[in-house]
Amino acid sequence: MKIVYVFPALNTVGGADRVITEKVNYFAENFGYEMYVVTAHQNNAPLFFPLSSEVKHIDLDVNFHQQYGLPIWKRVFIYFKLLHQYKRKLKKLLFTIRPDFTITTISRDIDFLCSIHDGSKKIAEAHVAKPFIRNLHRMANEGLVYKMIGKIWTYKLERAIRNFDALVVLTEYDAESWKRIKKAVVIPNSMPFYPPVGSTCTSKKIISVGRYDEQKGYDMLIDAWEIVHQTYPDWNLYIYGNGALQKNFENRIKQKQLGQSLFLCAPVKDIEQKYLESSMYVMSSRFEGFGMVLIEAMACGLPCVSFDCPHGPSDIIEDEVDGLLVENGNVQLLSQKIGRLIQDDTLRREMGTRARKSVLRYSKENIMQQWKDLFERLRC
């Protein structure tokens, strides 16, 4: 079986990059599928997560980055010119490979992929919940022009999805948001690792992982930590990531004089070890596609304190059993829940133990078999 994965670029520490890399590697090495990863604009950047030697990587070298920073009228002109180039190159490649399945992560190719009649079944795989695809939620607040563009994109997205042979989403909540357009198949992400022994949950370290952007809500986490630090000054919070808002967060930490207990750390490839060195995971996201970091932390035996944001945390965490859910955006309550787990050593360890057990439902074997079953159903 030949499968082509179409993705913008595999060059960041982002969750989608890791999930796709692990998935294609597993399909190639365990199911014997002939796997291709086709990127639009890798631009010679190194792969952050290594691909198996059994997986073929092809970059189409369409530099979409050249449109950024230009006036909107010029940007639109260049964008459609590049999109035409992208379609032409991808079409030629698919007719050369002749895959059984072509999978898109609902990027720029979503508008035209189903019009390429190369014989492959087309699957749309959502890594972000429907309201947040292509940052459509932001466009509604960025002026009339962007609002109109957002409405056009939403219409085109929904029209395009109807033509796919399957739509795969990460949560039941997201499947519900798509039901008017298309019945979705729910296949969550699998946990990337499961260490032999979990964290002891005895260190005075708390961890969070993610991009420094508006979505991850680190501005709220910093505010919550200011409250926590007043009562528990001997505990430290480590946030691993990078992004456009790093300077903003650094200034916020400095203004609140939290520099001795709250640390912004560069991304690391061996994040598993950082989880194991910690006693708790905190997620302050305003929204998520799934919440992969929660699964990673729970696999390492950490109890998680998370905003109950759309979408993912309530699917993963059983409140008061293997972690704690917090009303979305409630900074005061977030600080209280963190403080509760800091104060109660027994509860923290017990929740960590239960988290490590409950997360086994996301094992690679379980999740990849669901994908295999989907491929076999679609081939019939």
Side-chain angles (χ1 to χ4, degrees):
M1 186 185 297
K2 293 182 183 180
I3 300 176
V4 169
Y5 246 100
V6 184
F7 195 66
L10 288 169
N11 60 356
T12 72
V13 70
D17 293 45
R18 174 185 287 178
V19 167
I20 289 168
T21 301
E22 289 173 348
K23 195 179 296 178
V24 297
N25 288 349
Y26 192 97
F27 289 165
E29 294 173 355
N30 293 274
F31 296 155
Y33 296 164
E34 188 175 334
M35 298 300 303
Y36 297 81
V37 175
V38 178
T39 51
H41 49 82
Q42 192 70 26
N43 295 336
N44 296 316
L47 302 176
F48 197 93
F49 301 104
L51 287 171
S52 165
S53 59
E54 302 296 315
V55 177
K56 301 176 182 67
H57 174 218
I58 301 169
D59 184 50
L60 298 180
D61 193 26
V62 181
N63 187 11
F64 281 98
H65 295 299
Q66 66 181 271
Q67 64 179 300
Y68 299 129
L70 299 174
I72 185 67
W73 65 269
K74 195 169 185 179
R75 182 173 173 180
V76 168
F77 174 77
I78 294 176
Y79 173 79
F80 282 106
K81 181 180 177 181
L82 292 169
L83 193 65
H84 177 74
Q85 180 185 351
Y86 182 30
K87 179 180 178 179
R88 177 172 50 80
K89 288 187 174 184
L90 183 57
K91 180 178 180 179
K92 182 179 179 181
L93 182 63
L94 291 179
F95 270 92
T96 301
I97 297 174
R98 292 285 184 174
D100 297 287
F101 294 96
T102 303
I103 305 175
T104 173
T105 55
I106 313 187
S107 186
R108 298 179 181 94
D109 50 84
I110 194 72
D111 295 330
F112 62 78
L113 190 59
C114 288
S115 69
I116 300 177
H117 302 296
D118 59 305
S120 66
K121 299 281 188 180
K122 306 297 193 300
I123 300 176
E125 177 183 327
H127 285 260
V128 178
K130 184 175 182 283
F132 310 111
I133 291 175
R134 298 180 77 172
N135 291 319
L136 292 173
H137 67 295
R138 292 181 184 172
M139 290 190 173
N141 302 315
E142 292 188 6
L144 182 60
V145 173
Y146 281 99
K147 191 173 183 178
M148 289 175 62
I149 292 173
K151 286 185 176 181
I152 292 170
W153 277 359
T154 299
Y155 170 76
K156 291 179 68 178
L157 170 65
E158 293 179 349
R159 186 180 64 179
I161 288 294
R162 289 189 176 97
N163 295 322
F164 277 79
D165 295 285
L167 167 66
V168 179
V169 299
L170 297 173
T171 66
E172 294 289 348
Y173 196 112
D174 197 28
E176 184 69 17
S177 70
W178 280 105
K179 72 176 184 179
R180 184 178 60 85
I181 309 302
K182 193 175 188 68
K183 182 179 172 69
V185 179
V186 180
I187 305 179
N189 290 330
S190 65
M191 57 183 175
F193 44 71
Y194 193 79
V197 180
S199 167
T200 61
C201 295
T202 56
S203 71
K204 294 185 177 182
K205 294 180 179 180
I206 298 174
I207 186 173
S208 190
V209 180
R211 298 181 310 278
Y212 298 151
D213 63 13
E214 179 254 353
Q215 175 194 342
K216 299 301 179 182
Y218 288 135
D219 53 328
M220 294 186 288
L221 181 53
I222 293 168
D223 291 347
W225 187 253
E226 181 181 25
I227 301 170
V228 173
H229 179 67
Q230 292 171 6
T231 308
Y232 306 101
D234 52 339
W235 278 70
N236 295 319
L237 170 61
Y238 297 84
I239 303 176
Y240 290 86
N242 56 26
L245 296 183
Q246 180 164 345
K247 274 293 179 189
N248 300 54
F249 296 151
E250 288 174 350
N251 291 336
R252 200 181 191 96
I253 292 168
K254 186 176 180 180
Q255 289 167 4
K256 294 178 180 293
Q257 299 182 333
L258 296 173
Q260 298 304 310
S261 67
L262 202 171
F263 305 95
L264 300 183
C265 309
V268 294
K269 289 190 176 182
D270 189 19
I271 193 63
E272 178 182 347
Q273 185 58 41
K274 300 303 179 183
Y275 288 127
L276 293 170
E277 293 170 2
S278 307
S279 292
M280 184 194 320
Y281 187 91
V282 179
M283 192 168 84
S284 56
S285 297
R286 290 179 166 87
F287 62 90
E288 280 290 340
F290 180 57
M292 188 67 187
V293 287
L294 296 176
I295 289 179
E296 294 174 355
M298 291 168 73
C300 293
L302 298 186
C304 297
V305 180
S306 173
F307 280 145
D308 189 10
C309 66
H311 309 83
S314 61
D315 282 31
I316 299 168
I317 297 171
E318 187 175 355
D319 190 31
E320 296 290 342
V321 176
D322 50 28
L324 299 173
L325 293 173
V326 181
E327 179 187 7
N328 197 22
N330 191 329
V331 170
Q332 185 71 37
L333 189 56
L334 180 64
S335 67
Q336 291 174 11
K337 295 288 180 94
I338 294 171
R340 179 181 168 195
L341 286 187
I342 288 177
Q343 187 175 21
D344 195 331
D345 295 343
T346 301
L347 179 64
R348 190 171 67 245
R349 289 195 295 269
E350 287 178 349
M351 279 192 170
T353 299
R354 289 193 289 265
R356 190 166 154 80
K357 290 179 181 177
S358 69
V359 81
L360 286 172
R361 66 191 188 275
Y362 297 108
S363 70
K364 274 195 178 75
E365 292 75 15
N366 287 343
I367 302 304
M368 299 307 174
Q369 185 61 46
Q370 292 179 45
W371 275 100
K372 186 176 182 181
D373 292 344
L374 174 64
F375 294 144
E376 291 176 354
R377 287 199 305 272
L378 291 175
R379 291 188 79 182
C380 294

